[in-house]
Amino acid sequence: MWGIIATWRMAVEGVQKAADMLKEGGDAGDAIEAAVREVEDFPYYKSVGYGGLPNEEMEVELDAAFMDGDTLDIGAVAAIRDFANPVSIARRLAKEKVNNLLVGEGAEKFAHKEGFERKNMLTDRAKIHYRNRVKEITQQEIRPYSGHDTVGMVCLDTKGKMTSATSTSGLFMKKKGRVGDSPVSGSGFYVDSKVGGASATGLGEDVMKGCVSYEIVRLMREGLHPQEACQRAVSQFDKELRERRGKAGDMSLIAMNNKGEWGVATNIEGFSFAVATENLKPVVYLTRIVDGKCVHEPATQEWLDEYMRTRTAPLVEK
Ligand code: ASP
């Protein structure tokens, strides 16, 4: 059995690419890296890699992680600037014995020495988004942080090896140096080939309060199906946050176990995800919450077309 599951519609081209590799017996590390890079390279996705939205200072600072579920090796970068594919740097760091999570300048120095491709990740389109948002904030007090999404994936190959990876520009207009859940083990991602893996997108500040990816893997280890594990972890933690703090940030999680069974849960409307397994062609699902439970159905062609149309529509400066 092989499989790959990923947060958001934007992942589906990557999932397709990974599926092509996995069905030929490809390695879960290579497949997940290729899948995430596909998302990082596409300029119209505003929250991952090239074209990602900048921080307050109009700089694109990226977070990414990679985990190997066989060895439990972890590598991650946070607040890294000017490198094309943070996930590949994270994967490279996972091979080190120490210095596995590098931030800012340290991460950039490492990437430079290792010969990773430099790239100015701030696109003209992202600059327009930035300037528009600055105007909106000063005119109408709009919350600066909307406009984020992480690509988070879990992958299983035919040898039973599992991996997890994330990549994101984090929150639009974040403070310089702000790091979310995505490069943080147990929060943005976790995987153990003996069990399965999970990955998150949402408000990192809240996801980190519950180490939600680890919690899902823990529940799967106790025997829960990935769907049950996701639903229980997300519902319980959402409730916990509301009771203690009056509100809960966005939280959407995907998971897969080492049999290729998968699950998803969210506390928001409109979460989408992409999945492919030996028995399932790459597909985008849309979720809804019905009676407190997350249900999903395949996205219609109309929805998919509209998604691409709005992502690539000309952007005017306000
Ligand atoms: N989790 C990301 C962060 O807080 C953002 C997102 O997934 O929407 O940086």
Side-chain angles (χ1 to χ4, degrees):
M1 179 52 101
W2 57 264
I4 180 161
I5 185 164
T7 56
W8 303 112
R9 145 69 187 94
M10 64 179 159
V12 75
E13 287 82 8
V15 163
Q16 172 80 60
K17 195 167 187 177
D20 291 342
M21 296 167 76
L22 293 164
K23 70 175 162 236
E24 300 299 323
D27 171 74
D30 296 339
I32 205 165
E33 181 184 358
V36 174
R37 284 177 69 110
E38 190 81 14
V39 190
E40 289 178 335
D41 288 343
F42 191 64
Y44 290 100
Y45 297 144
K46 294 183 294 192
S47 54
V48 177
Y50 185 57
L53 293 179
N55 64 12
E56 263 184 3
E57 321 282 330
M58 217 205 220
E59 299 167 333
V60 182
E61 288 188 334
L62 301 167
D63 298 342
F66 174 90
M67 183 165 185
D68 179 319
D70 280 359
T71 57
L72 307 181
D73 284 336
I74 288 172
V77 289
I80 188 171
R81 294 172 309 170
D82 299 331
F83 281 90
N85 294 108
V87 73
S88 298
I89 304 166
R91 187 179 182 197
R92 170 67 190 78
L93 280 167
K95 296 201 185 92
E96 298 290 303
K97 282 204 180 68
V98 289
N99 303 307
N100 298 115
L101 165 54
L102 295 182
V103 305
E105 207 189 324
E108 288 155 19
K109 286 208 163 130
F110 174 83
H112 175 72
K113 283 191 190 145
E114 291 292 317
F116 283 96
E117 185 194 342
R118 275 195 183 270
K119 187 166 172 178
N120 179 355
M121 303 298 271
L122 184 67
T123 58
D124 289 341
R125 209 175 157 84
K127 284 185 200 159
I128 299 176
H129 276 295
Y130 177 89
R131 288 195 288 263
N132 286 349
R133 185 55 60 91
V134 169
K135 280 183 203 146
E136 281 170 7
I137 294 166
T138 43
Q139 282 160 17
Q140 317 154 8
E141 293 241 10
I142 284 179
R143 283 184 57 230
Y145 293 137
S146 51
H148 52 90
D149 288 342
T150 299
V151 66
M153 304 194 183
V154 177
C155 181
L156 164 71
D157 70 22
T158 50
K159 296 195 182 71
K161 172 175 166 180
M162 295 195 76
T163 52
S164 180
T166 58
S167 186
T168 188
S169 51
L171 303 183
F172 186 18
M173 293 282 185
K174 63 191 178 183
K175 287 261 177 265
K176 180 172 175 60
R178 179 266 183 191
V179 176
D181 58 310
S182 309
V184 176
S185 166
S187 291
F189 66 96
Y190 197 79
V191 65
D192 178 344
S193 306
K194 290 185 180 173
V195 182
S199 185
T201 177
L203 183 67
E205 282 72 3
D206 275 2
V207 175
M208 285 193 278
K209 292 181 178 86
C211 302
V212 189
S213 292
Y214 185 80
E215 175 65 3
I216 291 172
V217 175
R218 192 188 69 76
L219 290 169
M220 292 195 293
R221 197 190 304 274
E222 284 183 359
L224 264 63
H225 185 280
Q227 182 55 42
E228 281 290 306
C230 285
Q231 191 62 62
R232 191 182 296 180
V234 171
S235 298
Q236 282 185 355
F237 194 57
D238 176 77
K239 187 164 163 266
E240 206 69 54
L241 287 172
R242 283 177 208 278
E243 278 171 14
R244 295 181 195 216
R245 308 172 58 84
K247 59 180 184 215
D250 294 2
M251 220 166 12
S252 305
L253 277 289
I254 50 103
M256 183 171 276
N257 66 17
N258 61 8
K259 292 184 251 170
E261 297 166 333
W262 49 271
V264 53
T266 181
N267 65 353
I268 60 162
E269 290 299 332
F271 175 59
S272 60
F273 65 100
V275 58
T277 69
E278 204 169 306
N279 311 319
L280 180 67
K281 288 211 180 90
V283 54
V284 174
Y285 284 107
L286 285 181
T287 65
R288 276 182 304 131
I289 300 172
V290 180
D291 296 331
K293 293 243 153 77
C294 176
V295 296
H296 58 266
E297 57 194 27
T300 61
Q301 194 54 49
E302 198 186 344
W303 185 90
L304 292 168
D305 293 345
E306 180 62 12
Y307 177 93
M308 243 336 148
R309 196 190 62 72
T310 52
R311 289 306 176 287
T312 55
L315 190 60
V316 282
E317 190 142 354
K318 289 182 187 152

